[in-house]
Amino acid sequence: MTSQIQYQLQYKQWADKRTLDAVALIDSVQFPSEIAFARQQLNHMVRVEEVFRARLLEKPEPHSTSNTEVVPELAELRERLSASNDWLLKYAESTPSDILTGKVHFRFLDGLDGTLSREEILFHMVNHGTYHRGAIGRALDLAGELRPADTYTVFIHAMEPKRRLAPNN
């Protein structure tokens, strides 16, 4: 049986792909600031996920900042974000619930201490991505690109079309 956090991570994976596909359509010559902003947001998303993955594994963090001066190209960001989504989902699927509820103590990149359960970290990845996809949506609007519908309800009904049926059907 799929847990709620696994379903949320599947949603994140689906929504991130839709956003990456939409960003790839931005004309970088006509809208250089919009594509740069979208790439910066994606870079931030993946770096934060890479830091939290290290925290989940209780390994040294790979980054000391949540963004970079030089932002990778969209192809690299797509590859890293896709790999991160795959890893997060496999982690949630393979980690027993008693481990998921266990606490992880860490230091945020701003130097403040924090404590979250592993499940809360996974939810943070879902929520964090939602926030930044919304910001990317504004860049897509400015570039005249179609913002993909990426809400949880759209995902649920795409994955389970029978939920669209009236209760009597």
Side-chain angles (χ1 to χ4, degrees):
M1 184 170 141
T2 303
S3 72
Q4 186 61 37
I5 196 67
Q6 290 168 358
Y7 219 56
Q8 291 168 357
L9 289 165
Q10 289 171 1
Y11 155 70
K12 178 188 173 317
Q13 186 175 47
W14 172 87
D16 286 350
K17 183 185 180 313
R18 291 171 69 91
T19 298
L20 285 159
D21 291 348
V23 170
L25 297 175
I26 296 175
D27 182 333
S28 60
V29 173
Q30 192 173 0
F31 300 101
S33 62
E34 287 78 7
I35 189 75
F37 176 80
R39 285 177 42 221
Q40 177 274 325
Q41 292 289 294
L42 292 164
N43 187 49
H44 169 76
M45 285 170 60
V46 77
R47 286 176 67 88
V48 167
E49 290 181 24
E50 290 165 350
V51 166
F52 273 101
R53 178 179 7 185
R55 291 172 181 162
L56 286 168
L57 296 171
E58 299 181 35
K59 293 188 173 187
E61 295 176 6
H63 311 296
S64 60
T65 63
S66 64
N67 226 313
T68 56
E69 289 288 325
V70 177
V71 177
E73 293 298 322
L74 188 58
E76 179 184 333
L77 294 167
R78 178 186 294 274
E79 182 180 307
R80 286 170 60 197
L81 194 55
S82 296
S84 179
N85 279 322
D86 289 344
W87 187 89
L88 288 166
L89 190 52
K90 286 177 187 161
Y91 179 83
E93 291 169 346
S94 65
T95 305
S97 60
D98 61 319
I99 301 294
L100 284 176
T101 57
K103 302 291 186 197
V104 177
H105 306 282
F106 55 88
R107 183 158 295 185
F108 284 102
L109 296 178
D110 65 5
L112 297 174
D113 290 330
T115 302
L116 294 170
S117 72
R118 286 173 174 80
E119 191 172 48
E120 288 171 327
I121 288 172
L122 295 175
F123 177 74
H124 175 64
M125 295 300 88
V126 173
N127 193 51
H128 183 255
T130 300
Y131 175 86
H132 290 290
R133 284 191 308 275
I136 291 168
R138 178 68 178 133
L140 290 166
D141 290 344
L142 292 171
E145 295 302 328
L146 183 60
R147 182 193 304 211
D150 70 348
T151 64
Y152 190 69
T153 56
V154 171
F155 166 75
I156 291 291
H157 291 101
M159 297 300 108
E160 298 180 36
K162 288 182 180 180
R163 289 195 188 197
R164 287 280 187 197
L165 298 176
N168 297 333
N169 294 342

